[in-house]
Structure formats: structure tokens, C-alpha cells
Amino acid sequence: MFAFTYHRPSSVRKAAALAASVADGKLLAGGHTLIPTLKQRLAAPGDVIDLGGIPDLAGIELRGRTLSIGAMTRHAEVAASPVVKEAVPALAYLAGLIGDPAVRNRGTIGGSIANNDPSADYPAACLGLGATIITSQRRIEADDFFTGLFETALEPGEIITRIAFPAVKKAAYVKFANPASRYAMVGVFAAKRTADIRVAVTGASQSGVFRWTEAEEALKKRFAGRSLDGLSLPADDMISDLHGSGEYRAHLVGVIAQRAVEAAAG
Ligand SMILES: Cc1cc2nc3c(=O)[nH]c(=O)nc-3n(C[C@H](O)[C@H](O)[C@H](O)COP(=O)(O)OP(=O)(O)OC[C@H]3O[C@@H](n4cnc5c(N)ncnc54)[C@H](O)[C@@H]3O)c2cc1C
């Protein structure tokens, strides 16, 4: 690792001011992605700003029909939370599928969506539920947040503070996991909230998480797995690697999407 200056601010305001005042700072959440990146010398920030001492970034609460989760909330807390299980059961289920117990006890929801790994689970939930990402500067709709592979709409130094999810019962996440890493080979989050039907896919596309709009259109006629019969995605847009070809992933999206819709329709 390179030498850097470590900071542990006590408020979002102080963290944002620090981030703005240094040339090449990096925010640190659970460190599950950042620390290996530093160790491998893939990044060499001059300053690391640890968000772990900011109480405002913690906590889960239901405000009316909106589930608000602090950015520093660990996956294990989301998985175990009675509030999440009541408001959006599919989200608690998804959090419980992430990695292994060590990963779930360190990794954070804010770090996961800021990183926007193309195989991560939370981006599918954010897009599938139409979440709002709240930052130190503004509110960003999930549809505008995930802009590409490991890319988001965040500006340098902008801090995710909370994620707001609408309370939705008719929703499900189905993941076909890589047995070694537990990351999604394909994961589909399907949700129906009054007239809003969303199908979000992670793990598959070379451009990262995306909404499968053709599937959403088909489901407007009838919210059932069979409505997706015959729909397919072009294989050349899919990730092709040693774990599976583009054709395999394209096929898997269709199968997993049907299962997710069936589970959501209940
Ligand atoms: C072995 C292993 C298996 C895993 N399996 C899965 C899996 O199955 N599914 C899955 O979805 N994920 C998986 N992960 C990812 C893991 O769950 C973490 O969410 C992810 O690594 C991010 O880690 P972190 O929260 O500790 O963030 P960090 O590593 O601390 O930060 C990650 C990035 O986000 C930025 N950042 C962090 N917090 C904020 C914030 N509040 N605002 C703005 N930027 C911020 C940091 O600057 C950094 O660039 C796995 C990780 C490991 C190591």
C-alpha cells in the first residue's frame, strides 16, 4: 500500500468538506472493495476519509411508506431487520444472499451501490424498486444513478447518505450465484407497485445493471412468469467470461426473470 493520510470525520458536513479540500481523496465504508484495491496498488489516494464515525449514516427506518436505509448499514443488518422484512421482504432476502457472513458483516449498502460492480445485488434492488439515492448534495433517482460498469452519477467527493425505497410487498429477487464468489452470474429483481412494473437485471450485461423494458411491457398485460415466454435478450450485449458465455447468460436472464416474476406474483 502507498502512504496516505487517514481521516475519521464525525459528520457528513465535515466529511464532504474534507473530500472537497483534498486533491485525490477516497471515501472508506467497510473497506471490502477499497482496501484490496489499495493493497493491489490499483489506487493510491493521498487521503482516505473513513465514514465509520458518522452516526447519521447508520440506521434503518420506515417513514410512512418509505424505507430509509443509512449508507453505512451492513448487509447483515438489512438481512436481519424486522423493519425491512415487513416493508420490503425481498430486500432483506437479497441482503442475506450477499457473499458470506464475513462479507455481510463488513460490506455496506452505500459502498455497494457507489462501487456499482456489474455483478452486485443491491443495484438490482435499487433499480427494480425505483429507489432514490440521497447524497450530501442531492437526490438521485436509481434510473439516473447507475451509468455504466463501475460508474455512477456521483460527483467526486459526493457522499451517499441514505437510500430511500418504496415499501413494496409484491417483489422478489432471484439470483443464480457463482458458487465460488457468491456474486450474481445473473440476478433479477422484479417488482409490481400499482401500475409500476419493474424488472432489473444484474450480473449479465457488459454495461452493468439494467432494466429489461421489453419484459416490463409484456408484464403489463399480465404479471405472470408465462408473459415472458418467447422474450430474449441479445447475447452480444452480455458478459462472456470463464464462468459462462454471453449466450448462456442471455438464456439465464429469461429463466431467472420468469422465476422472479412468479415469486413476486406470489
Ligand atoms: C469475497 C467477497 C464476496 C462478495 N460477494 C458479493 C455478492 O455476492 N454480492 C454483492 O452484491 N456484493 C458482494 N461483495 C461486495 C461487498 O458486499 C461490498 O458491498 C463491496 O465490496 C463494497 O464494500 P464496502 O461497503 O466495504 O465499501 P468500500 O470498499 O469501503 O468502498 C467501495 C467504494 O465505494 C465508495 N463509497 C463507499 N461508501 C460511500 C458512500 N457512502 N458514498 C459515496 N461513495 C462511497 C468508496 O470510496 C469506494 O470507492 C463481495 C465482496 C467480497 C470481498
Side-chain angles (χ1 to χ4, degrees):
M1 264 202 243
F2 293 91
F4 54 78
T5 306
Y6 173 82
H7 308 267
R8 193 172 162 90
S10 56
S11 71
V12 174
R13 196 175 51 77
K14 286 179 184 162
L18 257 172
S21 70
V22 296
D24 57 351
K26 266 283 180 195
L27 302 168
L28 173 70
H32 249 303
T33 292
L34 185 62
I35 298 296
T37 308
L38 300 184
K39 280 185 167 173
Q40 290 166 27
R41 299 185 164 222
L42 297 171
D47 296 82
V48 169
I49 302 164
D50 186 350
L51 302 176
I54 306 177
D56 284 357
L57 297 182
I60 298 173
E61 40 181 340
L62 187 63
R63 297 176 189 158
R65 301 284 303 149
T66 301
L67 176 69
S68 169
I69 303 184
M72 284 297 288
T73 309
R74 316 277 173 188
H75 311 326
E77 293 172 63
V78 175
S81 163
V83 178
V84 181
K85 284 181 185 171
E86 175 57 29
V88 193
L91 188 62
Y93 175 74
L94 173 149
L97 297 180
I98 296 175
D100 53 30
V103 171
R104 291 195 289 277
N105 280 290
R106 274 316 293 171
T108 66
I109 188 168
S112 173
I113 64 171
N115 195 46
N116 193 18
D117 186 298
S119 300
D121 298 297
Y122 274 128
C126 291
L127 215 47
L129 288 164
T132 304
I133 319 304
I134 299 155
T135 78
S136 47
Q137 302 175 16
R138 57 195 165 134
R139 299 169 68 91
I140 310 171
E141 296 307 318
D143 286 337
D144 303 321
F145 184 82
F146 302 103
T147 53
L149 221 57
F150 295 104
E151 297 285 338
T152 69
L154 289 172
E155 299 289 344
E158 186 171 6
I159 301 168
I160 300 170
T161 56
R162 305 197 77 79
I163 299 97
F165 296 93
V168 181
K169 289 268 163 49
K170 234 175 190 176
Y173 182 61
V174 176
K175 165 167 155 174
F176 189 89
N178 178 318
S181 70
R182 316 280 169 83
Y183 272 104
M185 290 275 297
V186 166
V188 177
F189 199 103
K192 182 176 192 302
R193 187 168 53 120
T194 54
D196 191 20
I197 290 175
R198 286 168 169 260
V199 177
V201 181
T202 188
S205 167
Q206 293 179 25
S207 315
V209 68
F210 69 97
R211 277 176 72 184
W212 189 9
T213 46
E214 292 85 357
E216 293 173 356
E217 278 306 311
L219 290 168
K220 278 183 188 159
K221 294 181 198 101
R222 187 158 171 254
F223 192 74
R226 270 193 295 166
S227 301
L228 305 184
D229 280 350
L231 284 189
S232 63
L233 284 159
D236 47 6
D237 290 346
M238 298 290 133
I239 296 169
S240 195
D241 59 17
L242 81 167
H243 305 298
S245 65
E247 286 78 13
Y248 178 70
R249 277 196 171 81
H251 174 74
L252 208 50
V253 173
V255 174
I256 299 296
Q258 287 201 327
R259 290 183 191 169
V261 171
E262 286 301 335

